[in-house]
Structures are given as structure tokens and as C-alpha cells.
Amino acid sequence: MAQSLAQIYLHIIYSTKQREPFLGDVPLRQEMHAYIAGTIKAYGSHPLIVGGTADHVHILCTLPKTETYAKIIGESKRNSSKWIKTKNPKLSDFHWQNGYGAFSVSHLLIEKVRTYIQNQEKHHRVKTFQEELREFLIKHHIEFDERYVWD
């Protein structure tokens, strides 16, 4: 094949350190989501939706041919953490957790994942972030040790 062609979708999840509700202010949260979208776009990814709650974020995006998902996630976390600290001195202690979850998504499920991300507030009225992430890990057959998942 003369061309390199790919269309890979990712569902990325990461939380604030210790699940602190730094993003409780909805307008600030929306700004954060827009900032994250801009950051991952700068690395060649196409963000379909960025959403979440006061203590975590979900990103549905494409994986570009020229970058790794680890680089895109790392840069989105690093840049958004720096940015939010400029918004208010009360956010000087803001940090994202060290790790993340990254899951492949079939093109056939894009709308289902987009709806899931749009409904995060409603979803988390009955389920914690930890319960949600555990379910994702189990569903995707990812072995994990509880001692090292949370920080």
C-alpha cells in the first residue's frame, strides 16, 4: 500500500489527584474541557468530545498516525494542569493523577461513547469514579492491582 491510512478512536479517562473536586465550578470545568480539546488537537488528534465531572475527565478522540497515546495524554495533563493554576490562586494545588485509562473504541460505538460522556453528571449520581474505572478495566480485560490504581 502506497499510503499509510488509519482511523483509531480512543476513550481516555483520568482523574484529579485523590479525586479532589477541583472542577466543581461548571463554567471552569467547561473551560478545562475546551483547553484539553485544544491541547490534544495541537498534537494531531481530533477530539470528538471532552467531558466529565468535578473530579475526572473523559476524552473521545482519534489517535494520530504521528503520536503515541501516551504522549497525547501526558501533554494534555501537563498543559491543562499548568493552565488551570493561572485561573485562580485557589487552584495552585491542582494536579491530575499519575495514571490514566485508555481504551480502544470501534467506529460503530462512537455515538454510544459520546452519549456516555455527555451524561457523566447523571451517571455519577449513582456510581463513583472508582466504580466506573473498575468496570472499564474489567470489561476490557485489563489486569490491575488496586494498590496501584489510585493516587
Side-chain angles (χ1 to χ4, degrees), residues 39-93:
T39 299
I40 64 174
K41 194 172 187 178
Y43 285 89
S45 178
H46 176 70
L48 282 73
I49 185 172
V50 179
T53 65
D55 68 355
H56 71 283
V57 67
H58 288 257
I59 303 164
L60 176 60
C61 64
T62 60
L63 178 64
K65 295 183 291 184
T66 58
E67 295 290 352
T68 66
Y69 67 88
K71 171 115 184 201
I72 291 169
I73 295 168
E75 291 299 318
S76 74
K77 289 167 69 175
R78 185 176 66 79
N79 289 323
S80 62
S81 183
K82 284 173 137 179
W83 168 81
I84 201 167
K85 290 173 184 175
T86 69
K87 298 299 285 180
N88 187 324
K90 293 178 184 175
L91 297 170
S92 64
D93 289 333

Side-chain angles (χ1 to χ4, degrees), residues 9-32:
Y9 295 96
L10 294 176
H11 181 180
I12 300 164
I13 307 168
Y14 52 85
S15 82
T16 57
K17 190 161 184 82
Q18 302 295 321
R19 273 114 0 252
E20 289 291 331
F22 281 109
L23 302 173
D25 178 69
V26 174
L28 177 66
R29 183 183 322 151
Q30 291 169 338
E31 277 188 78
M32 172 63 92

Side-chain angles (χ1 to χ4, degrees), residues 89-149:
K90 293 178 184 175
L91 297 170
S92 64
D93 289 333
F94 180 92
H95 294 284
W96 292 112
Q97 71 177 97
N98 289 326
Y100 57 82
F103 308 94
S104 60
V105 177
S106 164
H107 180 48
L108 300 173
L109 297 175
I110 293 299
E111 288 309 312
K112 184 175 181 179
V113 174
R114 184 191 311 265
T115 300
Y116 179 81
I117 293 172
Q118 286 172 334
N119 291 321
Q120 280 294 291
E121 286 290 333
K122 181 179 176 185
H123 174 74
H124 284 289
R125 289 185 197 133
V126 296
K127 189 176 291 189
T128 68
F129 171 72
Q130 289 95 328
E131 291 168 332
E132 175 185 51
L133 187 60
R134 263 188 220 101
E135 286 178 10
F136 268 92
L137 296 171
I138 292 166
K139 180 173 139 183
H140 289 274
H141 303 279
I142 297 173
E143 291 183 25
F144 63 98
D145 185 329
E146 287 276 346
R147 296 174 297 173
Y148 305 110
V149 174

